[in-house]
Amino acid sequence: MNMALLRRSATYVLLSLAAFISVFPFIWMALGATNKSNDIVTGRLSLGSNLLVNFQNLLAQVDLVRVFGNSFLIAIISTLLTLAVSSLAGYGFEIFRSRVRERVFQLLLLFLSIPFAALMVPLFVLISRAQLNNTFIAVILPTIASIFIIFYFRQATKAFPGDLRDAARVDGLKEWQIFLFVYLPTMRSTYAAATIIVFMGAWNNYLWPLIVLQTPENKTITLVISALTAAYTPDYGVILLATVLATLPTLIIFFVLQRQFVQGMLGAVK
Amino acid sequence: MATTRLHRNEQINGWAFVMPALVLLGIFMIYPILWSLWMSFQVGRGNNFSFGGLANIQRLANDALLVHALSNTIIFFIIQVPIMIVLALLFAVALNDATLRFRGVFRTLLFLPCVTSLIAYSSLFKSMFSNDGIINQTLVSLHLIGAPIPWLTDPFWAKMVIITAITWRWTGYNMIFYLAALQNIDKSIYEAARIDGVPAWARFWNLTVPMLKPVILFTTILSTIGTLQLFDEVNNITQGGPGNGTMTLSLYIYNLTFRMMPSFGYSALVSWVIVAIVAVLSIVQFVIARDRRRAS
């Protein structure tokens, strides 16, 4: 009995410690945004009075509206196109089975584990030759057909009731109408979860935009934060304020749609 | 007649639905991979290249920096992945206990690091691990260390910062996978084991771990790919330094292509090294999993 109590207490202590470590950098970030850079690198852990100055310094260095506009534009268009193209394919692979397409699908799964680093050089040459360098199209296009999301939708489509499709066919609906007017509304929660993963991925994407986007007016918020951090004498007050701003959208999505968020992350192993 | 028309209809629709994705994947994935295979034999700077035979392979064999990047990647992998997976498993098992209070709160807080972008959190870690920073101050005031640790200026400690950072960011993510898998395990097995007097740690090793094996394998593969991709953190926190102590494969390819004398042919060959490593590791992991399954 005593042993059980001891183990229970140890569990709470361990979990509380882990939770504290998980949350601490968020507290650090929020407090840091209100402090001077010098205070931050010497570990000051209290609310400062430098928030407005940091904000003014950030505005002086970065066209915030433009940068956030770029990030949102890229993330939203990427998300819409990725969901459209990849859910169509996932649905197609699952509903219309044929031996050839099954082989194609298996081939795609092999490509799933190829790291982006292996693709970036030829992709860059391809994009340069197409004269799409420094455009949002170049950032968005290569990410639209996501094998991961195709796989996710194929798995989810297994739960789409065949009766619904049969009934729609009897009613004389064409296949694309069934997809648009029956499948799409039925699979709302699948789409919600996929939206979150794709949006997060696009919002946080760094390496590919770093390669493709060169001029300041095209930079996204992640590129700006990394440029600020790489400065010879980085101003951490400004940097932490920028990370707060960059993290807020995903943090809000997480707290509002926590269930779909976790569901989306889990999508692949169902 | 009716069945063949139906069959043809199925075929046309089947291809129509998957075609947009296949065309895009063909252009932006399969074509680049094949092209980089061809480029691996090209030499020259920037966009002007010519056939160089085995020149790149010779360069590969004598590339000390590549060996450095490879060994760093392996060190990150061997140390970081097991720590993270064990922690994630422990948290998942603890949180799977229905009698535990504040389960939802703990789960949310442990998962929270996943919402940060890799760039945002690595900037945070860079500022926390500065020489007079909060981490050193805390460790000194707890008398855990005598003098501040040169976190970002010593190759060994810089690796530790990267490992700590990645573990912070991804443990909760892996935990969620294990939690979901645990919830699918039949509770009566545990009841039976408990009634038979099997102690907790034995239940963990002999029941939980074997049943979670497929998920553990899946997350290990994800982490392997993640380690090979490692770029954002090292580029932002240490830029591969000090003294290439945190240079990774992805960062090396990036440097080869965009920072040093651009040599697309050689970068393409190094990219193929990554593809080869991924292929070999995936095969090894699957074989291990299969053998263990047979043995048990």
Side-chain angles (χ1 to χ4, degrees):
Chain A
M1 195 58 209
N2 245 338
M3 193 59 197
L5 194 70
L6 198 71
R7 186 183 297 137
R8 177 48 49 112
S9 320
T11 308
Y12 280 116
V13 171
L14 183 82
L15 283 176
S16 306
L17 187 69
F20 174 74
I21 293 173
S22 285
V23 176
F24 180 75
F26 288 92
I27 300 167
W28 174 253
M29 169 173 84
L31 290 176
T34 69
N35 277 316
K36 288 189 184 121
S37 189
N38 272 339
D39 291 336
I40 293 167
V41 291
T42 51
R44 179 181 161 145
L45 197 62
S46 55
L47 203 62
S49 55
N50 214 42
L51 179 63
L52 272 179
V53 179
N54 287 338
F55 196 67
Q56 279 162 357
N57 287 343
L58 181 62
L59 279 179
Q61 291 175 62
V62 179
D63 185 348
L64 265 191
V65 177
R66 177 116 203 183
V67 163
F68 270 93
N70 291 345
S71 275
F72 270 112
L73 189 70
I74 290 173
I76 289 170
I77 294 178
S78 292
T79 309
L80 288 176
L81 291 176
T82 307
L83 285 189
V85 168
S86 304
S87 73
L88 270 175
Y91 177 85
F93 277 120
E94 181 61 24
I95 298 289
F96 310 101
R97 304 275 188 101
S98 84
R99 218 162 23 157
V100 184
R101 273 193 299 278
E102 214 54 39
R103 285 267 176 281
V104 172
F105 187 73
Q106 283 163 359
L107 192 75
L108 292 189
L109 289 188
L110 277 182
F111 283 114
L112 188 60
S113 53
I114 290 185
F116 178 74
L119 295 175
M120 66 187 182
V121 181
L123 268 182
F124 176 71
V125 176
L126 186 73
I127 290 296
S128 315
R129 291 216 170 145
Q131 302 195 322
L132 288 172
N133 229 328
N134 202 21
T135 62
F136 292 165
I137 299 174
V139 179
I140 295 167
L141 261 186
T143 63
I144 294 173
S146 155
I147 299 178
F148 184 77
I149 302 296
I150 295 173
F151 183 66
Y152 176 67
F153 271 99
R154 178 168 189 175
Q155 292 297 101
T157 306
K158 291 188 200 294
F160 177 59
D163 296 351
L164 270 181
R165 195 166 151 258
D166 293 340
R169 276 186 162 170
V170 172
D171 287 347
L173 262 69
K174 298 229 167 47
E175 291 297 341
W176 65 267
Q177 290 172 318
I178 297 176
F179 179 84
L180 215 56
F181 302 127
V182 182
Y183 178 81
L184 225 146
T186 317
M187 307 298 278
R188 267 193 316 253
S189 68
T190 305
Y191 275 93
T195 303
I196 294 167
I197 357 179
V198 180
F199 182 87
M200 285 265 299
W203 179 264
N204 292 336
N205 199 3
Y206 174 62
L207 178 51
W208 182 237
L210 176 71
I211 293 171
V212 173
L213 300 176
Q214 286 100 9
T215 52
E217 73 268 16
N218 281 344
K219 299 271 186 209
T220 61
I221 185 68
T222 42
L223 294 179
V224 165
I225 291 175
S226 102
L228 290 172
T229 311
Y232 189 66
T233 46
D235 184 336
Y236 280 108
V238 171
I239 292 168
L240 295 190
L241 178 61
T243 58
V244 169
L245 296 177
T247 313
L248 269 180
T250 52
L251 207 60
I252 292 169
I253 295 174
F254 173 67
F255 277 113
V256 175
L257 298 165
Q258 208 178 127
R259 225 191 53 224
Q260 285 90 338
F261 199 103
V262 172
Q263 208 180 23
M265 296 273 171
L266 289 173
V269 280
K270 267 209 206 118
Chain B
M1 187 51 188
T3 50
T4 51
R5 225 184 67 201
L6 196 68
H7 179 73
R8 223 185 62 194
N9 186 38
E10 289 262 305
Q11 279 296 332
I12 292 171
N13 276 302
W15 287 116
F17 273 90
V18 301
M19 203 41 83
L22 288 186
V23 169
L24 285 166
L25 284 171
I27 298 174
F28 295 111
M29 183 144 211
I30 294 166
Y31 175 64
I33 289 176
L34 295 177
W35 194 17
S36 71
L37 188 60
W38 171 78
M39 266 209 297
S40 300
F41 295 99
Q42 310 294 315
V43 289
R45 280 183 203 162
N47 265 325
N48 304 309
F49 34 79
S50 60
F51 186 72
L54 299 177
N56 285 331
I57 292 181
Q58 261 168 0
R59 186 175 163 188
L60 188 78
N62 299 314
D63 192 339
L65 203 53
L66 175 68
V67 175
H68 218 92
L70 257 175
S71 65
N72 284 343
T73 306
I74 291 169
I75 291 171
F76 285 140
F77 177 71
I78 290 179
I79 300 178
Q80 194 269 328
V81 175
I83 293 176
M84 176 182 66
I85 286 179
V86 169
L87 281 177
L89 265 173
L90 287 177
F91 295 153
V93 170
L95 290 182
N96 194 42
D97 182 351
T99 61
L100 189 87
R101 283 164 150 245
F102 311 118
R103 284 165 81 201
V105 178
F106 279 128
R107 198 182 50 207
T108 303
L109 295 183
L110 288 178
F111 186 73
L112 210 53
C114 289
V115 308
T116 60
S117 82
L118 303 186
I119 286 304
Y121 96 82
S122 55
S123 292
L124 294 181
F125 272 72
K126 192 177 179 183
S127 67
M128 292 194 300
F129 279 90
S130 64
N131 210 27
D132 311 313
I134 184 79
I135 300 290
N136 267 338
Q137 275 192 21
T138 310
L139 291 177
V140 169
S141 64
L142 289 174
H143 297 289
L144 289 171
I145 51 172
I149 293 175
W151 292 109
L152 300 172
T153 46
D154 177 86
F156 172 79
W157 291 113
K159 281 193 192 66
M160 293 304 124
V161 172
I162 303 287
I163 287 171
T164 311
I166 304 170
T167 308
W168 179 81
R169 172 66 170 70
W170 294 101
T171 302
Y173 175 82
N174 286 284
M175 177 193 79
I176 289 291
F177 283 96
Y178 302 144
L179 256 179
L182 281 172
Q183 269 148 19
N184 291 329
I185 292 179
D186 189 356
K187 298 271 187 302
S188 59
I189 303 173
Y190 283 99
E191 282 307 313
R194 193 156 38 208
I195 291 165
D196 286 348
V198 181
W201 60 269
R203 289 201 298 269
F204 178 72
W205 275 116
N206 298 327
L207 281 173
T208 310
V209 172
M211 276 189 287
L212 290 187
K213 201 185 285 166
V215 199
I216 295 175
L217 181 71
F218 174 79
T219 51
T220 311
I221 293 172
L222 279 188
S223 308
T224 312
I225 301 168
T227 313
L228 287 167
Q229 306 241 38
L230 200 55
F231 178 85
D232 299 23
E233 293 91 338
V234 284
N235 193 40
N236 208 30
I237 299 179
T238 56
Q239 296 193 296
N244 294 317
T246 55
M247 179 62 67
T248 63
L249 280 174
S250 296
L251 184 55
Y252 182 51
I253 295 178
Y254 178 82
N255 283 349
L256 272 179
T257 317
F258 304 105
R259 279 195 186 136
M260 306 174 189
M261 293 281 196
S263 150
F264 292 141
Y266 188 61
S267 316
L269 184 64
V270 178
S271 306
W272 266 87
V273 172
I274 293 196
V275 175
I277 295 173
V278 170
V280 170
L281 281 179
S282 305
I283 292 168
V284 169
Q285 281 170 336
F286 273 114
V287 169
I288 291 174
R290 205 188 51 200
D291 285 353
R292 283 228 188 107
R293 207 175 303 146
R294 273 200 197 134
S296 58

